[in-house]
Amino acid sequence: MRMFVAGQEAHGDFEFAELALGIDVDLFRGPLEFETDGERTAREDAARDVLADLRAEAEAGDEIAGWDALYADALSRTVPFLRAVHVHRAGTGEAA
């Protein structure tokens, strides 16, 4: 089955959510793969800018931007399970 949002075809669940919500999940949550400190800093800076824009739009009366801001903020406070497991296996835990 093909999925379309606003005339664009979504190729998978994450792309469907991104098109439907207007939120890039990886931008706020972070990628599941390794990222360097520089990449993480750049991604977090961009995410803060986007979140600030969403909050400004929400304060101006855009209800959808308000909901998007809440979702983006919640995503930025999560750590993907696979990335957390990878970091734990790096030998930084007590068992190492």
Side-chain angles (χ1 to χ4, degrees), residues 88-96:
H88 181 68
R89 286 186 181 172
T92 59
E94 291 180 25

Short mmCIF file of all heavy atoms in Angstrom, two decimals, residues 88-96:
data_model
loop_
_atom_site.label_atom_id
_atom_site.label_comp_id
_atom_site.label_asym_id
_atom_site.label_seq_id
_atom_site.Cartn_x
_atom_site.Cartn_y
_atom_site.Cartn_z
N HIS A 88 26.46 1.83 26.32
CA HIS A 88 26.68 1.00 27.50
C HIS A 88 27.70 -0.10 27.22
O HIS A 88 28.53 -0.41 28.05
CB HIS A 88 25.37 0.40 27.99
CG HIS A 88 25.51 -0.44 29.21
ND1 HIS A 88 25.84 0.12 30.43
CD2 HIS A 88 25.40 -1.76 29.41
CE1 HIS A 88 25.92 -0.87 31.33
NE2 HIS A 88 25.66 -2.00 30.73
N ARG A 89 27.68 -0.66 26.03
CA ARG A 89 28.62 -1.73 25.67
C ARG A 89 30.03 -1.23 25.44
O ARG A 89 30.95 -2.00 25.31
CB ARG A 89 28.13 -2.45 24.41
CG ARG A 89 26.96 -3.32 24.64
CD ARG A 89 26.64 -4.08 23.40
NE ARG A 89 25.49 -4.93 23.60
CZ ARG A 89 24.89 -5.59 22.64
NH1 ARG A 89 25.34 -5.50 21.41
NH2 ARG A 89 23.84 -6.33 22.90
N ALA A 90 30.20 0.07 25.37
CA ALA A 90 31.52 0.62 25.09
C ALA A 90 32.51 0.43 26.22
O ALA A 90 33.65 0.83 26.11
CB ALA A 90 31.38 2.10 24.72
N GLY A 91 32.07 -0.17 27.31
CA GLY A 91 32.99 -0.45 28.41
C GLY A 91 33.02 0.65 29.46
O GLY A 91 33.98 0.77 30.20
N THR A 92 31.95 1.43 29.54
CA THR A 92 31.92 2.51 30.51
C THR A 92 31.13 2.15 31.76
O THR A 92 31.08 2.93 32.69
CB THR A 92 31.29 3.78 29.89
OG1 THR A 92 29.96 3.45 29.45
CG2 THR A 92 32.13 4.26 28.71
N GLY A 93 30.51 0.99 31.78
CA GLY A 93 29.69 0.60 32.92
C GLY A 93 30.52 0.01 34.05
O GLY A 93 31.73 -0.19 33.94
N GLU A 94 29.86 -0.29 35.15
CA GLU A 94 30.54 -0.85 36.31
C GLU A 94 31.13 -2.23 36.02
O GLU A 94 32.17 -2.58 36.57
CB GLU A 94 29.57 -0.95 37.47
CG GLU A 94 29.16 0.41 38.03
CD GLU A 94 28.19 0.26 39.18
OE1 GLU A 94 28.21 -0.80 39.84
OE2 GLU A 94 27.42 1.19 39.41
N ALA A 95 30.47 -3.01 35.18
CA ALA A 95 30.94 -4.36 34.90
C ALA A 95 32.23 -4.36 34.07
O ALA A 95 32.94 -5.35 34.03
CB ALA A 95 29.87 -5.15 34.16
N ALA A 96 32.53 -3.27 33.42
CA ALA A 96 33.73 -3.20 32.57
C ALA A 96 34.91 -3.07 33.43
O ALA A 96 35.80 -3.19 33.84
CB ALA A 96 33.66 -2.03 31.63
#
